[in-house]
Amino acid sequence: ETGVTQTPRHLVMGMTNKKSLKCEQHLGHNAMYWYKQSAKKPLELMFVYSLEERVENNSVPSRFSPECPNSSHLFLHLHTLQPEDSALYLCASSEGGSGNTIYFGEGSWLTVV
Amino acid sequence: AQSVTQPDIHITVSEGASLELRCNYSYGATPYLFWYVQSPGQGLQLLLKYFSGDTLVQGIKGFEAEFKRSQSSFNLRKPSVHWSDAAEYFCAVKTNTGNQFYFGTGTSLTVIP
């Protein structure tokens, strides 16, 4: 499935760095998502963007900042991260509305040192 | 609140044996139901989905799942497992309003020769 593309696939950053993860979907969808997947933990929804709503998980620290300039692109801006933020970050998209399906990218592996 | 339970954290089966992965959900109405598979270091790939109609749905790679309303379950099955099926399997639920998907904690499948 190459409908959702994430870059970079791997990122190593120091705690004082500022970096961004990029996601692009080629499926004509109008909802996009960021999920965090840590070892031994459930998938954690971080943010949802759609025409109808923007949803934020209130437990996500402010050092993660999403940006959705249009329905095809989604960014996750990272600054002053902590080692516990090391995880696989998954971008996904869906058609929006009821009865739709969510499709995932390959993920971006983030290591904070 | 909606929730998804996958009671089996890890399952080991022999190659060629049958497989059933359990999924139970909590939701007041009939949800939209999904199974995804994740190979190591990859994103989640859709195996199959149920929206309405026939409660037995067929998916890719020889998988099927059956929706049982009375048991609030959507168990995944495969009659004969192949070594390449070793992966993490996630059940997911979406309500008929909004854009949020709820994932189970996953079941890790090991296939032994």
Side-chain angles (χ1 to χ4, degrees):
Chain A
E1 178 65 57
T2 58
V4 181
T5 305
Q6 290 188 239
T7 54
R9 291 294 314 278
H10 299 271
L11 176 63
V12 179
M13 61 184 290
M15 290 188 285
T16 58
N17 291 159
K18 289 185 179 181
K19 298 286 185 182
S20 296
L21 305 180
K22 178 183 176 182
C23 178
E24 182 174 3
Q25 59 96 0
H26 313 276
L27 301 170
H29 292 167
N30 55 29
M32 297 188 76
Y33 309 72
W34 280 116
Y35 283 87
K36 177 183 178 182
Q37 187 177 33
S38 303
K40 310 300 182 186
K41 292 185 179 180
L43 275 171
E44 176 188 355
L45 177 64
M46 301 177 73
F47 305 100
V48 181
Y49 277 86
S50 73
L51 295 177
E52 300 84 19
E53 62 179 349
R54 168 180 166 173
V55 175
E56 298 186 24
N57 182 341
N58 292 329
S59 67
V60 174
S62 59
R63 55 186 183 267
F64 293 92
S65 173
E67 179 188 0
C68 190
N70 55 59
S71 61
S72 299
H73 295 86
L74 183 65
F75 295 89
L76 187 63
H77 302 302
L78 317 168
H79 59 98
T80 60
L81 295 192
Q82 303 299 309
E84 60 265 28
D85 297 321
S86 298
L88 179 65
Y89 289 84
L90 292 164
C91 176
S93 71
S94 71
E95 296 161 353
S98 63
N100 57 76
T101 304
I102 189 169
Y103 294 92
F104 286 85
E106 295 292 297
S108 292
W109 280 100
L110 173 65
T111 302
V112 181
V113 298
Chain B
Q2 298 79 21
S3 68
V4 181
T5 302
Q6 293 181 248
D8 303 307
I9 295 174
H10 185 248
I11 285 182
T12 299
V13 299
S14 298
E15 191 169 15
S18 63
L19 172 70
E20 182 170 30
L21 302 182
R22 296 183 290 165
C23 174
N24 293 93
Y25 65 89
S26 173
Y27 179 55
T30 300
Y32 302 110
L33 298 160
F34 308 83
W35 275 100
Y36 288 84
V37 60
Q38 184 181 33
S39 297
Q42 303 297 313
L44 278 68
Q45 180 186 19
L46 178 69
L47 281 176
L48 48 78
K49 60 187 177 183
Y50 172 79
F51 286 174
S52 65
D54 192 345
T55 56
L56 183 64
V57 293
Q58 303 296 319
I60 63 172
K61 305 184 180 186
F63 285 92
E64 65 178 27
E66 185 173 13
F67 168 56
K68 293 186 176 180
R69 184 192 307 275
S70 61
Q71 299 177 19
S72 297
S73 69
F74 188 57
N75 293 349
L76 182 71
R77 301 193 293 250
K78 186 169 185 177
S80 178
V81 171
H82 188 262
W83 64 266
S84 60
D85 293 325
E88 189 89 14
Y89 291 80
F90 293 90
C91 180
V93 161
K94 182 187 177 297
T95 63
N96 52 20
T97 58
N99 292 307
Q100 295 192 51
F101 293 77
Y102 300 88
F103 286 84
T105 51
T107 297
S108 176
L109 174 66
T110 297
V111 181
I112 56 177

